[in-house]
């Protein structure tokens, strides 16, 4: 059920609001910031990077522009680094749920936490909000603290934490929790874990020096109020745990956006040449844009992001041309906002 937004505070209006922190959203935010606009970005997950971080952080990408071979996670870091000097207000862990006109030519986007006003909105929501899969383990209701996403590791310092799963997030969670001082056990039904090479090497190091207990392959028989019962090599093993993290990856959910007063074409939003949707000042880029439905690629997402951000710039600040000119002629980031002025 959709929660009612609780308007705890109203942050200042931004020129542009980007919904989605995947590659398309990160590059759109960069370009709008580069044009000197004030930019806010909302991301449903606790981290940026979209599908690259949620679904394949450890895989090598060969066709990202200018990066002959790059791990998906490294590409996301590079996009974040490029964005960092521009002062974009990045809000992770917030799902955009409603879009309404603000009565002054702009838009109000609301999340469960608060509402945000903006002169233009760039929808970069990809396949939908990448939300954690349900914890489908026997006896899940028996344990008082079962979670499906890693909280701030410091919150679990000193606690006994059982991490269940073989996805890259499970490997990373085990490492981060061990570093934060939790007593970590990691288990998976198969023998191997996924993750970046360095993370897997570190996991092996922590396993061999006893800082992380690893049971894999193991069958999770069920949760109890005190922890979990595993079967390992035919033997029952009881794992006492204060917190159980069941990390099984993410599933995309478009439903928070599908009630928006936009034209839809199935799971796509139709886009014009500048990325415009059927609503003035609302643009769509990346995997969600219908024009790229046969090319769900990073190259296209970056191009769409640049085009839409520059159209959005002209929309909120008609004195700015759509054409951005060449960055190489400009000699530096617009720190302090050389083209920046309030949009109203
Ligand atoms: C396994 C795999 C391998 C791939 N390999 C390649 C490759 O080698 N080369 C290549 O070019 N492409 C590859 N792709 C495709 C590429 O990852 C996508 O085209 C790209 O991620 C699209 O970027 P995006 O920003 O549009 O969407 P996404 O990456 O899906 O990001 C969208 C973000 O928006 C967030 N979001 C959605 N709804 C909301 C909401 N309501 N509120 C707040 N946030 C929201 C989501 O949580 C997500 O983080 C691969 C895809 C997969 C799954």
């Amino acid at each position: 059920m959709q929660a009612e937004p609780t308007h705890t505070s109203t942050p200042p209006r931004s020129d542009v609001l980007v919904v989605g922190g995947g590659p398309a959203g990160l590059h759109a935010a960069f370009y709008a910031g580069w044009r000197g606009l004030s930019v806010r970005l909302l991301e449903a997950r606790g981290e940026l990077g979209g599908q690259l971080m949620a679904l394949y952080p450890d895989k090598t990408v060969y066709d990202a522009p200018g990066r002959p071979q790059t791990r998906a996670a490294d590409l996301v870091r590079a996009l974040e680094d490029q964005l960092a000097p521009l002062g974009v207000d990045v809000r992770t862990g917030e799902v955009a749920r409603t879009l309404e006109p603000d009565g002054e030519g702009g838009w109000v986007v609301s999340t469960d936490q608060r509402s945000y006003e903006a002169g233009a909105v760039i929808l970069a929501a990809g396949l939908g909000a990448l939300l954690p899969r349900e914890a489908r383990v026997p006896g899940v209701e028996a344990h008082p603290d079962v979670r499906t996403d890693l909280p701030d590791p410091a919150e679990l310092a000193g606690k006994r934490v059982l991490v269940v799963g073989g996805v890259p997030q499970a490997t990373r969670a085990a490492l981060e929790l061990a570093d934060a001082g939790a007593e970590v056990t990691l288990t998976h039904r198969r023998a191997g874990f996924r993750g970046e090479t360095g993370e897997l090497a570190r996991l092996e190091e922590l396993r061999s020096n006893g800082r992380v207990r690893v049971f894999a392959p193991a069958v999770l028989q069920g949760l109890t109020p005190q922890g979990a019962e595993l079967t390992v090599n035919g033997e029952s093993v009881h794992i006492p745990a204060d917190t159980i993290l069941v990390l099984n990856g993410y599933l995309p959910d478009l439903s928070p956006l599908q009630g928006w007063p936009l034209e839809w074409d199935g799971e796509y939003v139709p886009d014009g040449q500048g990325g415009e949707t059927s609503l003035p000042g609302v643009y769509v880029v990346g995997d969600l844009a219908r024009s790229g439905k046969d090319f769900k690629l990073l190259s296209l997402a970056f191009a769409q992001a640049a085009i839409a951000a520059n159209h959005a710039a002209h929309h909120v600040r008609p004195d700015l041309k759509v054409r951005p000119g060449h960055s190489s002629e400009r000699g530096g980031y617009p720190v302090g906002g050389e083209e920046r002025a309030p949009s109203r």
Side-chain angles (χ1 to χ4, degrees), residues 35-53:
R35 293 302 305 269
L37 303 179
S38 58
V39 183
R40 178 167 289 126
L41 183 148
L42 303 181
E43 167 53 49
R45 297 185 66 232
E47 65 181 351
L48 298 172
Q51 293 168 52
L52 286 84
M53 289 306 284

Side-chain angles (χ1 to χ4, degrees), residues 19-25 42-45 49-52 55-56 59 61 63 94-96 124-130 256-257 285-287 296-299 301:
V19 175
L42 303 181
E43 167 53 49
R45 297 185 66 232
Q51 293 168 52
L52 286 84
L55 306 182
Y56 63 106
K59 286 201 186 334
V61 174
D63 56 348
E94 291 200 40
V95 179
L127 310 174
L130 294 164
L257 303 177
V285 296
D287 280 7
K296 290 203 178 77
L297 289 175
L298 297 160
S299 316

Side-chain angles (χ1 to χ4, degrees), residues 5 7 97-111 115-118 121 259-261 279 282:
H7 302 268
R97 295 201 179 272
T98 59
L99 173 82
E100 295 159 300
D102 70 353
E104 298 181 38
W107 297 96
V108 183
V109 171
S110 297
T111 70
S115 294
Y116 299 100
E117 293 179 13
V121 173
W260 290 23
L279 300 176
V282 180

Side-chain angles (χ1 to χ4, degrees), residues 207-228:
R207 188 196 65 75
S208 56
N209 67 24
R211 281 188 56 208
V212 173
R213 288 206 300 166
V214 177
F215 294 101
V219 180
L220 178 59
Q221 299 296 356
L223 304 190
T224 66
Q226 293 77 31

Side-chain angles (χ1 to χ4, degrees), residues 268-278 283-286 288-292 304:
Y268 298 99
V269 173
D271 50 325
Q273 284 193 348
E276 309 86 0
T277 67
S278 54
Y283 302 82
V284 62
V285 296
L288 185 61
R290 185 174 66 184
S291 66
Q304 290 170 326

